[in-house]
Amino acid sequence: MTIAGNCQDHFGSDAGYVCERFGSVNGFGSGRLKTEDRRSAIHQYRLGHRSGGWRHAYPPLRPDWSAQGPAGVSPTTAPRRLIGRIAVLGAGAVVPVLLLALWVISARVGWLTEQILPDPRDVLQTARDYAASGELLADTAISLRRVAEGFAIGAALGLVIGAAQGLSQGARAILELPFFVISQVPVLGWLPLLILLVGIDEELKVIVIAWSAFVPVALNTAQGMRDVPRTLREVGQVLTFDPWSMLSRIIVPAAVPSIFTGLREGLAHSWQTLVAVELFASSEGLGYLMSWGRQLFQLDIVVMALVVVGAIGLALNWTLGRVERRLRRWQVQTG
Amino acid sequence: MIARLFHRHWRPLLIPLLVLALWELASRAGWSDARFLPPPEAVLHRLWFETTQGGLATDLAASLQRGASGLLIGASAGVALGLLLGLSRVAERLLGPLFLAYRQVALFAWVPLLSMWFGGAEAGKIAFISLAAMAPSVVNTWRGSRDIPRAHIELAAVLTFGRLDFIRFVALPGALPFILVGLRSSLIYAWLATIGAELFLNIAPGLGGRLNEGRETFQMDLVLACIVVLGALGIAFSRFAAIGEARLLRRRG
C-alpha cells in the first residue's frame, strides 16, 4: 500500500492528500534530501494547506447500473447544481412524506388502534398542550442541562487522558490496560452499582453521561495524536520546533479530525445515555416523559417525546458538523 | 519467572494492582462500609457461589442467547439494507436521508414504543436488540459497497455479471473489511442493548436481571460480581471479533 493510501485510511482524504504530496518528493522521510528539496516540500505542504478544496482529490466511486460513466464528471453550471441539490433534498423527503401520509390515512380509516400508533392529530394536540403548559420546555431544558454538564466533564477528562496516552509512551503503557478493561463493561452495567453508591439524583445522571462521553473522546484523542504521520513530525524537526510549537503547530492540527470524531461520538453517546438513564431512574426530563406516557398507555406522549429527542439529536449532530467544517477551514489557514 | 514477567510488564498492571491493594486495605482497616464496598474476597466468593450453586450459568446463557438472536436478525437486515443503499443510487437518494435522520434518535428512546408493540417479554427484548444491532451494520456496509474500485466494476461489466453475481463476487468481497467493522460494532451495540433490555423491560433470567436483583436487595457483592462477568465477557467478545476478522480477511486474500 502506498503512503498516501495508508494515511488516507487513517485520516480521511485530507491527510491522504498531504501524504501524497510528501510522497511525491523523492525520499523525503529518509533523510537523504538536499536542502532545496526540503524547502520545496515544505512549500508544497503549505500550498496544500492554503489552497483548500482537497476533498475533490478523491471522488467517491460507485457502480453505475446505467453504464454511463461515473456521475459528476461532466461540468455542471451553477443553476443546474442548485436544481440538483433541490432534487436530492426532494428525493430524500419522498419516503418520509409517504410514511406520514400513510400514518394519517391509517389513523383516519382506523387500521391502527391507539395502542399501536396514536392518531397524528392526537400527538399534535398533546404537543400543543404540553408546549402551552411549559412542561415540554421544562423537561427539555432539564435534559439538555444534564447532557451539557456530563459531556463537559467527560470530554475534558477524555481530552486530558487521551492526550497523555497519545503523547507519552509511559502513560500509554500504564493506562491502556485498565482503560480497556473498564471500557469493556457496557455503560448500563455500571448503572445499578452507581445507583447504590450515589443514589438516583443528579449526580448519577451526570456521572453516567460523563463516563459515556469520556471513553470515545479519550480513545480518539490518543489515536489521533499517536498517528500523526512521521513525515509531519519530521517537518517540525527540520524547522527545529520546540515541544510547544510541535504540539500546537503539528500534532494538534494533524489530530484535529480524529479528536473531533471523538467529540462528536462522545456527544452522541451522551445523548443516548441521557435518554437511557432518564428512562431508568428519573422524575423529570424527556426520558421520564416517555416512561410516564408508557405507564399511562398514552402513546401520544411517547411519540411526542420521541420526536423531540430525535429533533435534538439531529440538531446536535448538525451543529457539530458545522463546527467541524469551521475548524477544518481554520486548520487550512494556519498551515 | 513470575517476577521476571512482572518486571517486564509491570506498567499495565500498576493501576489495577494499586486499586486492588487500596480496596483490600480499605475494607481491612474499616475505612469503608462493607455494605457499600464489600472486600474483594467477598466478591470473589459470591462469584464462585453463583457459578457453582446459584444460577449464574443459566442467566449467562439466557443473556447470550437473547443477544445472539437479536444480533443475527439485526445484522443480517443491516447488511442487506446497507448493500441496497450502497449499490443503488435510487435507494440511496430515497432512503439515505431518512436513515441518517433515524440514526439521530437516541436508541433507548425506542424502548417505550417497542415495548408497547412487542410487549415487554422476550419478543420486545429481541426487537430492541435487533434494532440496536442494525444501524452500525447498515452504515458500514453502505460505505464499503459504495467505494468499490472502478476497475472491479468495469471488470464485472466486461464479464457481463448479473446483479446477483455482482453482489456475490464483487460487492460483498470488496466491502468485506467494512462489513466486518460494522459487525464488530453491531456486536458491541447488541450486547449493550441486551443489558439495557434486561434492565428496562420485564424481569427474566439474564445478567441484567441479576444486576437489578442485586440493586433492589442491596447486595453489593452480587452487583460487583455481575460487573466482573460483564467485563470478562466484553474482553472475550473483542478478542473473538478480532480473531474472526483476521481469519475472514485472510481467507479473502
Side-chain angles (χ1 to χ4, degrees), chain A residues 61-63 65 71 91-92 116 173-174 180 184-185 188 193 196 272 276 279-280 290 294 297 306 314 317, chain B residues 11-12 36 87 89 92-94 97 104 107-109 113 115-117 146 150 153 196 200 215 220 231 234 238:
Chain A
L61 297 173
R62 56 177 68 248
W65 299 111
I116 301 291
I174 290 175
F180 171 73
Q184 292 306 307
V185 179
L188 293 177
L193 178 78
L196 286 183
Q272 298 240 0
L279 276 177
F280 195 70
M290 290 180 133
R294 177 183 146 207
F297 287 95
L306 186 72
L314 264 177
N317 194 39
Chain B
R11 282 194 296 195
F36 285 100
L87 295 181
R89 289 206 83 173
E92 187 179 39
R93 286 275 160 86
L94 286 178
Q104 298 311 316
L107 184 61
F108 287 95
L113 211 57
S115 74
M116 293 291 265
W117 289 348
R146 197 169 50 178
R150 195 173 327 153
I153 297 167
F200 294 145
R215 177 181 65 84
M220 207 59 171
S238 59

Side-chain angles (χ1 to χ4, degrees), chain A residues 12 38 54 63 69-70 107-108 111 118 156 196 208 222 229 239 248 257-258 284 297:
Chain A
R38 276 190 188 151
W54 315 336
R108 292 255 162 110
W111 291 335
L196 286 183
V208 179
L239 296 173
S248 64
S258 187
E284 45 194 357
F297 287 95

Side-chain angles (χ1 to χ4, degrees), chain A residues 271 275 286-287 290 304-314, chain B residues 104-106 109:
Chain A
W271 188 239
V275 175
L286 288 169
M290 290 180 133
M304 174 191 74
L306 186 72
V307 171
V308 176
V309 166
I312 293 176
L314 264 177
Chain B
Q104 298 311 316
V105 179

Side-chain angles (χ1 to χ4, degrees), chain A residues 185-195 208 211-212 272-278 280, chain B residues 107-108 111 128 189 191-200 208 211 227 230:
Chain A
V185 179
V187 186
L188 293 177
W190 297 107
L191 206 53
L193 178 78
L194 285 171
I195 287 178
V208 179
W211 173 249
S212 68
Q272 298 240 0
T273 310
L274 167 95
V275 175
V277 183
E278 285 187 347
F280 195 70
Chain B
L107 184 61
F108 287 95
V111 168
F128 177 61
Y189 271 88
W191 186 234
L192 174 72
T194 308
I195 302 301
E198 287 172 356
L199 286 177
F200 294 145
L211 269 172
I227 288 179
L230 282 179

Side-chain angles (χ1 to χ4, degrees), chain B residues 166-202:
Chain B
F166 180 80
I167 289 175
R168 231 179 99 197
F169 296 115
V170 181
L172 273 180
L176 193 61
F178 281 91
I179 293 178
L180 289 177
V181 170
L183 285 182
R184 204 168 173 169
S185 51
S186 282
L187 177 69
I188 294 170
Y189 271 88
W191 186 234
L192 174 72
T194 308
I195 302 301
E198 287 172 356
L199 286 177
F200 294 145
L201 297 173
N202 295 1

Side-chain angles (χ1 to χ4, degrees), chain A residues 3-331:
Chain A
I3 307 172
N6 225 337
C7 297
Q8 201 193 342
D9 282 352
H10 286 294
F11 305 106
S13 57
D14 297 357
Y17 179 84
V18 173
C19 298
E20 194 180 58
R21 289 237 149 189
F22 282 121
S24 69
V25 181
N26 243 335
F28 181 70
S30 60
R32 282 184 276 108
L33 226 54
K34 288 183 211 142
T35 340
E36 237 176 326
D37 290 341
R38 276 190 188 151
R39 252 188 226 136
S40 101
I42 291 161
H43 182 63
Q44 280 191 25
Y45 166 68
R46 294 204 158 156
L47 261 183
H49 264 259
R50 287 229 183 85
S51 61
W54 315 336
R55 312 198 125 253
H56 305 294
Y58 292 92
L61 297 173
R62 56 177 68 248
D64 191 8
W65 299 111
S66 58
Q68 291 285 318
V73 166
S74 65
T76 44
T77 48
R80 270 177 67 192
R81 204 175 296 156
L82 186 69
I83 291 169
R85 191 169 280 183
I86 291 170
V88 167
L89 280 176
V94 168
V95 177
V97 167
L98 275 182
L99 283 176
L100 208 62
L102 193 69
W103 182 19
V104 171
I105 292 168
S106 57
R108 292 255 162 110
V109 179
W111 291 335
L112 294 173
T113 58
E114 286 280 297
Q115 279 74 42
I116 301 291
L117 256 189
D119 195 319
R121 281 172 299 179
D122 287 352
V123 177
L124 267 181
Q125 187 56 46
T126 313
R128 234 176 266 144
D129 293 346
Y130 270 81
S133 70
E135 258 176 279
L136 188 60
L137 199 67
D139 279 324
T140 311
I142 285 168
S143 291
L144 283 177
R145 207 192 61 217
R146 285 172 181 157
V147 166
E149 287 173 3
F151 177 71
I153 296 173
L157 280 176
L159 282 175
V160 171
I161 302 274
Q165 284 195 62
L167 294 175
S168 147
Q169 288 262 327
R172 199 181 136 211
I174 290 175
L175 290 171
E176 200 168 32
L177 181 80
F179 189 75
F180 171 73
V181 170
I182 293 177
S183 67
Q184 292 306 307
V185 179
V187 186
L188 293 177
W190 297 107
L191 206 53
L193 178 78
L194 285 171
I195 287 178
L196 286 183
L197 288 179
V198 302
I200 60 165
D201 294 333
E202 277 323 282
E203 295 92 345
L204 171 77
K205 283 133 206 162
V206 173
I207 291 174
V208 179
I209 293 167
W211 173 249
S212 68
F214 168 77
V215 175
V217 172
L219 277 178
N220 281 292
T221 306
Q223 185 77 22
M225 290 194 164
R226 212 162 52 223
D227 286 351
V228 172
R230 214 163 45 102
T231 40
L232 285 187
R233 288 179 198 268
E234 280 171 12
V235 170
Q237 280 159 15
V238 168
L239 296 173
T240 60
F241 277 179
D242 57 300
W244 169 246
S245 317
M246 191 79 167
L247 190 68
S248 64
R249 298 236 158 162
I250 302 229
I251 295 179
V252 170
V256 156
S258 187
I259 293 174
F260 220 83
T261 307
L263 288 176
R264 212 164 166 172
E265 223 174 283
L267 191 59
H269 282 203
S270 300
W271 188 239
Q272 298 240 0
T273 310
L274 167 95
V275 175
V277 183
E278 285 187 347
L279 276 177
F280 195 70
S282 181
S283 55
E284 45 194 357
L286 288 169
Y288 166 73
L289 208 57
M290 290 180 133
S291 72
W292 192 61
R294 177 183 146 207
Q295 277 161 21
L296 295 178
F297 287 95
Q298 280 204 300
L299 268 188
D300 44 348
I301 299 179
V302 175
V303 173
M304 174 191 74
L306 186 72
V307 171
V308 176
V309 166
I312 293 176
L314 264 177
L316 287 178
N317 194 39
W318 184 81
T319 316
L320 276 192
R322 296 294 296 228
V323 175
E324 189 172 8
R325 226 171 302 154
R326 257 297 147 76
L327 270 180
R328 274 175 193 276
R329 217 179 302 150
W330 162 80
Q331 195 189 355

